[in-house]
Amino acid sequence: MNKTTKDTMPYGTSIIKAVDILKYIGNQTSPSGVSQIAKDLSMNRATVYKLLETLQLVGFVHKRENDSTYTLAAGLARLAQRAYEQIDIAAVSRPYLERLNQETKETVHLGIADNNMVVYLAKLESQQVVRMHSRVGNSSPLYCTGIGKAILSTWTQEDIDHYLQHTELKAFTPHTITDKQQLLEVLSDIRQQGYALDNFEHEAEVRCIAMPLEKDGVSYGAFSLTAPGYRMDDEMVRKYIPLLKSCQEEILKNL
C-alpha cells in the first residue's frame, strides 16, 4: 500500500485547495457561502475563508455583499480567455492531422477565421500525383470553402447575420452558393451532420470534407481533407467521414 510522505506531497497544497474552491464555485447553480463550501469540500472553515479572501483580492471570485456568498469573477474569465488565445492549435492538432494524411493519402488543411476569411495554418501534402495548390498563410472566403463553412456553423446567428451583411457572396464556380438563405440552410445541415462539404464551390475541380474544432463554446478553427473530385466521390466521402471524426475527437480531447 502506497503511503503519502512529506517528500511525495505536492508543493503548494494551499494552491490545490484554492483550485478546488474555484471548481466548486464554478459548478454551483447558485452562489455559496464559506460554511457551505467548507462543508462540501471537507475543509476547515477558517482556511476556506482565508483562501476566498485571497481569491477575491486577485479578482478570481466576487463576494456578494447582501448575503456574503461567492461567485466567480471577471479576473478568472480574462485569464481563461488568455489561455484560449495561447493554445497553439497547429501544434496540438499536428499528430492527428498527420495520421489522417497517412490514412487517406490526401491533402489535409487546418485553418482559422481571420477578418472574415479562412487563413490556413497548416497543410499536409497529398501523396498522390495530383496535388492542391494552396499554401500556408493563404486566405480564402468562409462561405465557399469546407473549412470556412465548418467554422461558420459554430458561430451565433447574430455573428452570421453580421457576416452576411458585410460579405458579397461572389461566385467562384457554377457551384458556389450565392444565395444567403440557401447558405443558412447549409449551415443548419452542417450543425446536424457534424461536417461540411465543399462541393466544387471555390475551385471547380476540388472537393473537400471539413469538421469544426469547437470546445466549451470556443472555436479553434476547422480542418479538412481535400482532393480532386474524381478521387473524392460520394463513396469516398462516406468512407473518410469516420476518419475525420476520429481525428476531430482526438484533437478536441487534447485542447
Side-chain angles (χ1 to χ4, degrees):
M1 180 177 177
N2 292 330
K3 293 184 179 180
T4 301
T5 67
K6 183 178 179 181
D7 292 336
T8 60
M9 285 291 289
Y11 183 78
T13 53
S14 292
I15 296 175
I16 295 173
K17 290 178 180 178
V19 171
D20 286 341
I21 291 172
L22 289 172
K23 289 180 178 178
Y24 174 88
I25 294 173
N27 287 328
Q28 301 309 301
T29 56
S30 59
S32 300
V34 175
S35 297
Q36 189 64 48
I37 296 172
K39 177 183 176 183
D40 290 348
L41 293 180
S42 300
M43 290 186 190
N44 180 276
R45 188 183 186 282
T47 299
V48 172
Y49 180 77
K50 290 177 181 178
L51 288 173
L52 284 168
E53 278 193 323
T54 303
L55 291 169
Q56 184 180 5
L57 181 66
V58 297
F60 285 1
V61 300
H62 170 71
K63 183 179 181 180
R64 305 201 323 173
E65 296 299 330
N66 62 325
D67 58 4
S68 295
T69 56
Y70 293 84
T71 61
L72 298 182
L76 195 62
R78 286 193 293 270
L79 189 64
Q81 182 59 40
R82 292 293 296 164
Y84 287 132
E85 292 169 356
Q86 291 176 16
I87 289 175
D88 187 344
I89 185 61
V92 171
S93 61
R94 186 79 187 185
Y96 311 108
L97 298 180
E98 287 178 345
R99 185 179 68 187
L100 180 64
N101 175 248
Q102 292 167 3
E103 289 173 334
T104 63
K105 307 296 189 290
E106 297 293 0
T107 301
V108 175
H109 290 100
L110 172 71
I112 59 172
D114 184 55
N115 291 324
N116 287 340
M117 298 286 283
V118 172
V119 176
Y120 297 105
L121 298 183
K123 177 186 180 183
L124 287 81
E125 288 282 6
S126 168
Q127 299 173 40
Q128 308 281 3
V129 176
V130 178
R131 301 182 178 184
M132 305 299 101
H133 299 296
S134 56
R135 292 183 179 180
V136 172
N138 282 4
S139 60
S140 300
L142 289 168
Y143 67 91
C144 60
T145 56
I147 286 181
K149 289 189 290 183
I151 292 173
L152 281 174
S153 73
T154 69
W155 287 12
T156 65
Q157 190 59 51
E158 181 181 358
D159 288 338
I160 293 174
D161 290 342
H162 183 269
Y163 168 75
L164 292 175
Q165 288 171 9
H166 297 84
T167 303
E168 177 189 0
L169 303 186
K170 171 187 172 184
F172 287 85
T173 76
H175 301 281
T176 305
I177 298 173
T178 57
D179 179 80
K180 294 182 179 181
Q181 185 56 44
Q182 184 183 357
L183 180 60
L184 290 173
E185 292 171 0
V186 168
L187 296 180
S188 178
D189 291 340
I190 293 169
R191 292 187 196 100
Q192 292 182 22
Q193 63 196 20
Y195 63 89
L197 292 176
D198 172 358
N199 286 312
F200 316 105
E201 297 162 50
H202 188 228
E203 297 180 54
E205 298 179 359
V206 175
R207 198 178 193 201
C208 80
I209 319 164
M211 289 192 176
L213 295 171
E214 181 188 31
K215 185 174 183 178
D216 299 329
V218 178
S219 174
Y220 296 92
F223 68 98
S224 67
L225 185 68
T226 307
Y230 69 87
R231 288 206 306 260
M232 186 77 83
D233 58 19
D234 290 345
E235 180 181 353
M236 294 308 294
V237 168
R238 288 190 292 271
K239 175 183 175 181
Y240 288 147
I241 285 174
L243 299 179
L244 271 82
K245 184 63 178 176
S246 175
C247 181
Q248 179 194 50
E249 291 172 350
E250 290 294 338
I251 294 172
L252 294 179
K253 189 188 303 180
N254 286 275
L255 286 175

